[in-house]
Amino acid sequence: MAVNAKKVAVYVVVVFVVYVIVTDPKKAADYVQIGFEGISDAAQALGDFATWVANGGK
C-alpha cells in the first residue's frame, strides 16, 4: 500500500510541474533558477566548511 501512495505522490508532483510549465513558463523558469541558486549556495557553504576543517578549524 505504501508503494501505491508513493506512486500517486510522484504522479501528482509530475502533473503539477507540467501544469506550471505549460500555464506559466516564465514563472517555471524562475523556480528553476531559485532551485539552482539554492544548490549553488549549499555547495559553496560545504566548500567553505571543508576548507575550515582542512585548516584545523581556525
Side-chain angles (χ1 to χ4, degrees):
M1 186 169 221
V3 174
N4 290 337
K6 188 176 180 181
K7 285 183 182 179
V8 169
V10 169
Y11 179 74
V12 168
V13 169
V14 168
V15 169
F16 176 73
V17 168
V18 170
Y19 171 78
V20 170
I21 291 171
V22 169
T23 59
D24 196 356
K26 183 173 167 60
K27 191 160 204 147
D30 290 341
Y31 290 148
V32 170
Q33 182 178 3
I34 289 168
F36 279 121
E37 285 176 3
I39 291 169
S40 175
D41 290 345
Q44 180 67 41
L46 285 173
D48 290 345
F49 176 72
T51 301
W52 178 76
V53 170
N55 290 332
K58 298 177 182 173

